[in-house]
Amino acid sequence: MTPLGAKLKEVWHRLSWLDIVSTLVTAGGLLLAILGFNAGPSNFLKYLAVLAGIYLLFRLIGWWRNRLLWSLRNRLIVAYLFIAAVPILSIVTLVVLAARILYSQLGAYLLYEDIHQRIAMVEDISEHIAIAHETLPPSVTEAESERILAAQSRAVHDRELPGLSIRFSDDQKLARKVISQGKRSFSGLLQEGDSLSIVSLRVIPDRKGERVVTLRVPVTPEFLNSVAPDLGGIQLNLMERYTGGPLTSLIYKSGDAQYVSAGRIVARNRTLQNAMFWFDAPVDVVSRLDSLYLGRDGKIEPMRPVFAASNARPSRLHARIFTSLGELGGSYITFFILVGIVFLLVEAAALATGIVLTRRITRAVADLYRGTQYVQAMDFSHRVQIEHRDQLGELAESFNQMTGSISTLIEEQNQRQRLENEISIAREVQNQLFPSTLPSVPGVEIEAICKAARSVSGDYYDFIQLSPTHVAIAIADISGKGISAALLMASLQAALRSQMLTDGSERLSTAELVARLNKHLVRNTGDDRFATFFIAVYDSATRTLRYTNAGHLPAFLVCHGTSHHLDKGGMVLGVVDDYVYEEGMISVGSEALLIGYSDGLVEPENVYGEEFGIRRLEETAVHLQGAAPLMVAESLMAAAEEWAGTADQADDMTVIVARLR
């Protein structure tokens, strides 16, 4: 069979039934399009052909990608293209977008600044009129003075402020509405219905009291013709509040109000300037102006938006930026172009260098691949030849070291597996140290939960029934974690049960019991090993609780919404021989809860480094006082984990809950 036939056969075996159907549908659609059939079924078949063609295109792209990227050399070339070409295109695109945004904002600034210059000009005129009016000679009447001042102002500023009107009046109604309290003038944009004006109101004194001089420049198409000559066409969109109903334009939200377009003011005889070069594409300019809105009902809105839309050529805005540089502007542009050319040359050289290095990389990878074949055949004596002391050479050396030590790694894995088996056995043995059955004492319900931070726990708890009415409850926290703590826990459990399972142990003082346990640990453990311990003996007949706390976090008794700490005792076990401990005694009320816990339950920290703490544990227990002991224990565990925000724990967590009815 020829190579071409073999390839065709391979392609045929790779085709699915969906590929074959899609090919036939696409071919049928193309045939109908060529023959010019336009009937209803033909159009539907053409639509199916388009969908099938899209599917085949994706299949072809996937097949081509797999064939192209199978070779490591091709992968590296593609990687170099992405490293060299894609970043340049991305940077160029980003620069173009940034330039368009910059030029758009520059155009918006020019429009905004020009209009506000006109506002400042109107304000200056009103101020000059006020000063001239105050210095009026007695021989000149006020009416004559007002006429002269208005005529002079219009003559001087008629070009910048077309349609400027100046009016003097005794009516101060409008002035009181728009002028802020404590001021005597207002200047800005004033929107009255569908009209927009540049207005300056100023209260000036006269011989009879006060008068208001009003300067008004209507914002008309003629006015917009004189604004921002570097821009193209200009359009102002007046806005009104949207109160519901059918929409005629987009809704613009400003603060808590919604606005829609209410009218437009379009500059006449303004067109976009001709492009200076082929990439001098126009940019859109959008600017917001704030106006004072005066409604027909006399209500005032101080910040009614007015949107100004325009367009501009970047070349005109660019010339505006570099006007102050004079002839140096061209030098800067030339320097920028030269730097860009150098940058492209460097990038091309880097791409060529990357392609040249591809062969060396692929050869080294091929050597490593052959080495893996030897390893797969369990031949660990093969070594990869090192030709260059570069990173690939270091990789080859690391491969050689790996093959040389793989037998050791296998042996270490076997040892680790044996250790895990031993830890599993230790965990099973430790679980047997915890009480398997709960004591049967009338009026006493006990539950406990212990979550180990590692495979085995250093926390210990125990329940021992001493008589039909006596039960002992113990909890301890062994120093350290892991197997060493578990071994010390087993020793403590054996010593405790040897003392408590003798006749008359219900009458034994808890202080004496703890002293014996302390002496046992001091004499049978190292100086760096100790344990915190708490034990309580409850008599359901007399409802008394005797306890001793040896350096453990104080258990507490919750009864009728209050808690009592059980903190009498002494220091931790295993440190000082012949230490004298103290026994505490308390009368237990009905429906009381005894809560014992380890430090792992109160030490979880939240994201701010604040511990869960005993106070929050007590508050949670008081809130759950009426619940079953198991629910209380699970809720306390859940509260600590929720405070930490994670189920991962740094220390063993143990809690005992006893309901004393």
Side-chain angles (χ1 to χ4, degrees):
M1 182 179 294
T2 62
L4 179 60
K7 289 184 178 180
L8 291 176
K9 185 177 181 179
E10 180 184 359
V11 171
W12 174 259
H13 286 298
R14 288 178 176 270
L15 291 177
S16 64
W17 66 268
L18 184 58
D19 298 334
I20 298 174
V21 172
S22 299
T23 303
L24 295 176
V25 171
T26 303
L30 289 174
L31 182 61
L32 292 175
I34 293 173
L35 297 178
F37 287 97
N38 294 317
S42 300
N43 292 332
F44 180 70
L45 184 58
K46 291 178 183 179
Y47 172 73
L48 292 180
V50 171
L51 297 180
I54 295 174
Y55 167 76
L56 292 176
L57 178 62
F58 276 100
R59 287 280 292 169
L60 181 62
I61 292 175
W63 175 83
W64 178 79
R65 182 191 61 186
N66 294 335
R67 293 295 299 269
L68 176 67
L69 299 182
W70 183 87
S71 170
L72 177 61
R73 180 175 302 173
N74 294 339
R75 285 177 178 265
L76 290 174
I77 293 175
V78 172
Y80 288 136
L81 288 176
F82 275 98
I83 293 173
V86 173
I88 293 178
L89 294 177
S90 300
I91 292 173
V92 170
T93 303
L94 182 62
V95 169
V96 171
L97 291 177
R100 293 185 66 84
I101 294 173
L102 177 62
Y103 285 127
S104 175
Q105 292 301 306
L106 176 60
Y109 170 77
L110 293 177
L111 179 59
Y112 178 89
E113 184 67 18
D114 203 341
I115 291 179
H116 279 75
Q117 284 181 359
R118 308 300 173 93
I119 295 174
M121 189 181 299
V122 172
E123 185 177 9
D124 290 341
I125 295 172
S126 67
E127 184 177 358
H128 293 159
I129 290 175
I131 295 173
H133 198 274
E134 290 178 1
T135 59
L136 182 67
S139 59
V140 181
T141 64
E142 292 182 350
E144 183 66 19
S145 172
E146 293 171 357
R147 184 183 64 80
I148 295 173
L149 292 174
Q152 290 178 346
S153 299
R154 284 193 295 268
V156 174
H157 300 283
D158 183 65
R159 182 175 181 181
E160 295 87 355
L161 304 172
L164 172 65
S165 64
I166 304 174
R167 187 172 63 89
F168 295 83
S169 174
D170 295 327
D171 186 4
Q172 299 187 18
K173 292 182 180 180
L174 180 60
R176 293 193 187 99
K177 292 180 179 180
V178 302
I179 297 178
S180 303
Q181 186 176 3
K183 296 185 178 180
R184 299 184 64 83
S185 64
F186 164 80
S187 297
L189 291 174
L190 177 64
Q191 182 179 348
E192 299 175 283
D194 296 337
S195 65
L196 183 68
S197 304
I198 296 177
V199 174
S200 176
L201 297 173
R202 182 177 294 273
V203 179
I204 61 176
D206 66 356
R207 297 168 185 174
K208 297 179 181 180
E210 290 183 339
R211 288 171 66 82
V212 177
V213 57
T214 304
L215 283 76
R216 184 186 298 269
V217 179
V219 179
T220 61
E222 290 75 14
F223 173 81
L224 293 181
N225 285 339
S226 63
V227 174
D230 293 310
L231 303 182
I234 299 176
Q235 173 181 300
L236 297 184
N237 294 322
L238 306 182
M239 311 300 288
E240 66 179 5
R241 283 182 178 269
Y242 175 67
T243 57
L247 290 173
T248 58
S249 63
L250 296 177
I251 294 179
Y252 173 74
K253 187 174 182 181
S254 178
D256 297 332
Q258 292 181 331
Y259 297 93
V260 293
S261 178
R264 298 178 180 176
I265 304 174
V266 182
R268 296 176 183 172
N269 302 323
R270 286 192 65 147
T271 58
L272 185 64
Q273 302 89 348
N274 295 327
M276 295 186 63
F277 29 79
W278 64 270
F279 56 89
D280 191 16
V283 295
D284 295 326
V285 178
V286 179
S287 178
R288 168 179 168 157
L289 304 171
D290 293 323
S291 66
L292 179 69
Y293 178 76
L294 179 61
R296 293 185 178 89
D297 54 358
K299 292 185 178 180
I300 290 179
E301 183 179 344
M303 297 291 286
R304 174 67 66 91
V306 175
F307 287 99
S310 181
N311 54 14
R313 292 287 183 186
S315 58
R316 293 294 297 269
L317 300 177
H318 179 81
R320 182 67 178 269
I321 295 175
F322 288 93
T323 299
S324 61
L325 297 178
E327 296 181 355
L328 293 179
S331 301
Y332 288 141
I333 295 175
T334 303
F335 176 74
F336 178 79
I337 294 174
L338 291 176
V339 171
I341 293 173
V342 172
F343 178 76
L344 291 176
L345 292 176
V346 171
E347 191 66 25
L351 178 61
T353 303
I355 295 176
V356 170
L357 292 175
T358 300
R359 185 177 298 275
R360 178 188 296 182
I361 296 174
T362 54
R363 185 185 298 114
V365 172
D367 292 340
L368 289 174
Y369 176 74
R370 285 194 296 271
T372 59
Q373 298 299 312
Y374 283 98
V375 173
Q376 186 177 1
M378 303 300 293
D379 182 3
F380 304 129
S381 61
H382 177 75
R383 295 293 180 268
V384 177
Q385 185 178 359
I386 301 175
E387 298 179 358
H388 303 280
R389 302 305 302 181
D390 52 9
Q391 189 174 18
L392 289 173
E394 294 294 330
L395 178 62
E397 185 176 357
S398 298
F399 181 84
N400 293 335
Q401 293 176 357
M402 179 194 69
T403 55
S405 60
I406 194 168
S407 299
T408 305
L409 293 177
I410 294 176
E411 181 63 26
E412 290 179 355
Q413 177 65 26
N414 294 333
Q415 294 179 358
R416 186 180 299 107
Q417 185 64 39
R418 288 194 296 270
L419 179 60
E420 291 178 355
N421 294 335
E422 293 175 358
I423 293 176
S424 178
I425 295 173
R427 182 168 60 250
E428 293 178 2
V429 172
Q430 186 185 47
N431 290 336
Q432 296 177 0
L433 296 178
F434 291 115
S436 58
T437 59
L438 298 177
S440 177
V441 176
V444 177
E445 299 177 19
I446 304 176
E447 294 290 347
I449 298 176
C450 179
K451 291 185 178 181
R454 297 183 181 178
S455 299
V456 290
S457 172
D459 287 356
Y460 164 64
Y461 68 87
D462 207 348
F463 315 131
I464 305 174
Q465 186 168 352
L466 306 179
S467 73
T469 60
H470 289 77
V471 61
I473 302 172
I475 184 171
D477 188 355
I478 312 300
S479 63
K481 297 179 181 67
I483 295 179
S484 61
L487 293 176
L488 185 57
M489 165 190 165
S491 176
L492 180 63
Q493 190 253 14
L496 174 63
R497 288 196 167 246
S498 66
Q499 295 291 329
M500 300 300 292
L501 295 179
T502 59
D503 294 337
S505 58
E506 69 274 9
R507 297 184 298 274
L508 178 65
S509 168
T510 57
E512 176 61 24
L513 172 64
V514 173
R516 295 177 183 179
L517 295 178
N518 176 59
K519 185 176 297 185
H520 168 75
L521 291 184
V522 169
R523 296 180 180 180
N524 295 281
T525 60
D527 295 338
D528 59 338
R529 311 298 294 172
F530 61 89
T532 64
F533 183 73
F534 171 83
I535 187 167
V537 177
Y538 175 66
D539 185 358
S540 62
T542 61
R543 301 194 65 81
T544 57
L545 182 73
R546 296 181 290 111
Y547 70 90
T548 297
N549 189 333
H552 198 76
L553 291 176
F556 54 88
L557 189 68
V558 178
C559 186
H560 302 300
T562 61
S563 63
H564 180 76
H565 284 202
L566 308 180
D567 52 4
K568 291 185 179 180
M571 68 183 300
V572 298
L573 304 180
V575 177
V576 178
D577 197 4
D578 296 329
Y579 184 84
V580 178
Y581 290 88
E582 180 183 1
E583 181 183 60
M585 181 179 295
I586 185 173
S587 297
V588 180
S590 60
E591 298 298 329
L593 276 180
L594 175 63
I595 309 294
Y597 54 93
S598 65
D599 55 357
L601 191 62
V602 296
E603 291 179 352
E605 297 180 351
N606 60 10
V607 295
Y608 302 104
E610 185 179 5
E611 290 187 350
F612 181 61
I614 299 176
R615 178 180 60 82
R616 293 184 179 86
L617 185 69
E618 288 186 55
E619 292 175 353
T620 306
V622 170
H623 180 70
L624 299 168
Q625 182 177 354
L630 180 58
M631 180 179 293
V632 174
E634 291 176 346
S635 299
L636 294 178
M637 284 285 187
E641 293 175 354
E642 183 179 359
W643 176 263
T646 176
D648 298 335
Q649 56 190 79
D651 198 0
D652 304 326
M653 300 172 63
T654 303
V655 61
I656 297 176
V657 179
R659 168 74 68 186
L660 308 179
R661 299 189 180 278

